[in-house]
Amino acid sequence: MTAAGVLSRIIGFFYRIFLSRTIGAEALGIYQLIGPVFSLCFALTASSIQTSISKFVGDAIGGCKDSLCGEKKARAYLILGLVLSCGLSILTGIFMYFNADLIAVRFLGEARCAPLLVLLTYSLLPCCIHACINGYYYGKKNAFVPSLCQLIEQIARVGSVWIIFQITTEKGIPLTAFHAVCGLVIGECFGLLVSMSALLREKRLPRGSYTSDSICNSTMTHAFLAMVIPLTINRLSVAFSTSLENLLILQKLQLYGYTQTDALSIYGILSGMTLSIILFPCVLTNSLSVLLLPAISEARGRSNENQIRRTTQKAIRLGLLLGFAFTILFLLTGDMIGNKLFHNALAGRFICRLSWLCPLMYITSLLSSILHGLGRPKQVLFVNLLACLIRIGMIWFLVPAYGIGAYLWGLLLSQVFASVACMWLLREFL
């Protein structure tokens, strides 16, 4: 997973350079505007369902002494998740298809995003299907299929846009943001093909395994929805709060005294340059977090508290070790990265100041995954909402008086709170 994640990010890095040089900065900005819409759609239709499938498949595999029984339950949860996710994706796609103009003008403030949103609707269903299948394999602690899916999806996205670029160049047609969204849809479809191919190669269960009792069991459905609903609220609230933060920072920086151009420039340096560097090492802990959830679920299914305790303690030690290693690295090289890579001294200063986020982010990510594995999504939701409120409060009250530095402190304080709160919730295993 780590190898696939690193390769995908490297490919994506060069892909962004290619797009900036072919479609131009303005078109790239329009393309970027649809990102939050896609994130909201994914949070609503697939993200929480994928996590829930992973958790309950882990429970099924670990909680049944009979391997056949465990596999039956695991596939029943996959079917349940697919039905729910596909239904939500179809409804969301229909809504976005017929309201693309309204969303583009009223929410994104850019009418040219409308055709991109219409095209984006075709990616929702394949995205949801292969996300659910990936969750099934995560639950079985099989990282190969999701990793291959991620890598093929990225290669297909970039490769298809490159082919489109060759065709449009021959015909004298400029490459546009619409073509970039075509690549996104094609990438999702290839991801679907890879995941479906892997699922079809699975060993067939004996005939009669999928009875109405095994698939439509009300207890299974209730337990599944009890995790999906708070997780969905969690993911949506984070996505909404991120959008709200973006809007508020620009407004409050102007109240501090910056012009609109200066405010956009400072926020662009922070989000587009600084955080892209600070968040890059998260690919290491993200891979571990995904696999921690089913491992904890399996241990919980077997009532193995010692394993949960050992895993929790190791996760904290690993998070601190990796976090402080990258903190030291960014403290020593932050100025050089800002000057050499981005040709911006302010980005280097931001990297140095935000380097202390690394151990806090890593611990929070790992412990949140453990809490999900223990069936405590509501607690994670509460922690994330309070962390968001801390950041928004710092922006609202302090940025007009102290500038962007107040927001940096808000990021740090919110991560301190989240990491301490997660450790307190898991105090019985420390």
Side-chain angles (χ1 to χ4, degrees), residues 284-296:
L284 301 172
T285 51
N286 288 345
S287 302
L288 184 58
S289 295
V290 170
L291 295 180
L292 265 177
L293 193 153
I296 292 295

Side-chain angles (χ1 to χ4, degrees), residues 99-357:
N99 294 277
D101 291 324
L102 179 66
I103 296 171
V105 175
R106 295 289 181 87
F107 293 96
L108 300 180
E110 179 53 69
R112 287 175 290 180
C113 287
L116 308 187
L117 293 174
V118 171
L119 182 58
L120 190 66
T121 60
Y122 294 101
S123 71
L124 295 182
L125 186 59
C127 174
C128 290
I129 294 173
H130 79 70
C132 290
I133 295 173
N134 286 349
Y136 168 74
Y137 282 107
Y138 287 139
K140 297 178 73 174
K141 294 186 284 189
N142 179 351
F144 176 76
V145 172
S147 301
L148 180 64
C149 181
Q150 177 188 8
L151 194 56
I152 294 297
E153 179 186 336
Q154 183 75 307
I155 293 172
R157 178 183 303 158
V158 177
S160 61
V161 174
W162 174 255
I163 293 172
I164 292 172
F165 172 67
Q166 298 300 319
I167 295 172
T168 56
T169 301
E170 288 182 3
K171 295 184 177 181
I173 302 172
L175 195 72
T176 66
F178 187 84
H179 298 126
V181 180
C182 287
L184 191 151
V185 176
I186 292 171
E188 295 292 349
C189 291
F190 268 84
L192 171 63
L193 289 175
V194 173
S195 58
M196 285 296 296
S197 298
L199 190 63
L200 291 174
R201 292 173 63 89
E202 288 276 296
K203 182 180 179 181
R204 292 189 178 184
L205 295 179
R207 181 169 297 185
S209 295
Y210 300 114
T211 62
S212 60
D213 180 63
S214 66
I215 297 176
C216 301
N217 187 307
S218 60
T219 303
M220 290 175 61
T221 305
H222 182 269
F224 192 80
L225 291 176
M227 183 168 185
V228 167
I229 292 173
L231 264 180
T232 301
I233 296 172
N234 186 348
R235 304 286 165 82
L236 285 173
S237 64
V238 171
F240 275 120
S241 68
T242 301
S243 300
L244 182 60
E245 284 180 37
N246 295 344
L247 177 65
L248 285 177
I249 287 174
L250 296 175
Q251 292 179 352
K252 300 304 178 181
L253 283 176
Q254 291 178 61
L255 289 177
Y256 177 68
Y258 289 115
T259 64
Q260 183 179 9
T261 301
D262 290 338
L264 283 169
S265 177
I266 289 174
Y267 184 69
I269 292 169
L270 175 63
S271 60
M273 300 179 188
T274 305
L275 290 179
S276 64
I277 295 295
I278 295 293
L279 295 176
F280 188 85
C282 287
V283 68
L284 301 172
T285 51
N286 288 345
S287 302
L288 184 58
S289 295
V290 170
L291 295 180
L292 265 177
L293 193 153
I296 292 295
S297 295
E298 184 176 336
R300 178 172 173 262
R302 294 174 178 171
S303 300
N304 191 342
E305 292 193 1
N306 287 330
Q307 183 178 343
I308 298 173
R309 183 175 293 105
R310 289 194 301 270
T311 303
T312 303
Q313 293 171 354
K314 286 181 179 179
I316 292 175
R317 288 196 296 268
L318 180 61
L320 288 173
L321 179 63
L322 285 174
F324 282 117
F326 281 106
T327 294
I328 294 170
L329 177 64
F330 290 143
L331 282 173
L332 295 175
T333 63
D335 290 327
M336 183 186 70
I337 292 173
N339 290 320
K340 299 294 184 181
L341 188 60
F342 298 116
H343 303 289
N344 192 294
L346 184 58
R349 292 199 294 272
F350 283 166
I351 291 171
C352 292
R353 293 183 65 177
L354 293 181
S355 62
W356 296 103
L357 288 176

Side-chain angles (χ1 to χ4, degrees), residues 347-388:
R349 292 199 294 272
F350 283 166
I351 291 171
C352 292
R353 293 183 65 177
L354 293 181
S355 62
W356 296 103
L357 288 176
C358 291
L360 301 171
M361 288 191 304
Y362 297 167
I363 290 176
T364 302
S365 173
L366 295 172
L367 297 186
S368 294
S369 186
I370 291 174
L371 286 167
H372 284 143
L374 292 172
R376 301 179 186 177
K378 293 179 182 178
Q379 287 89 333
V380 178
L381 168 61
F382 187 67
V383 169
N384 286 337
L385 286 177
L386 286 179
C388 289

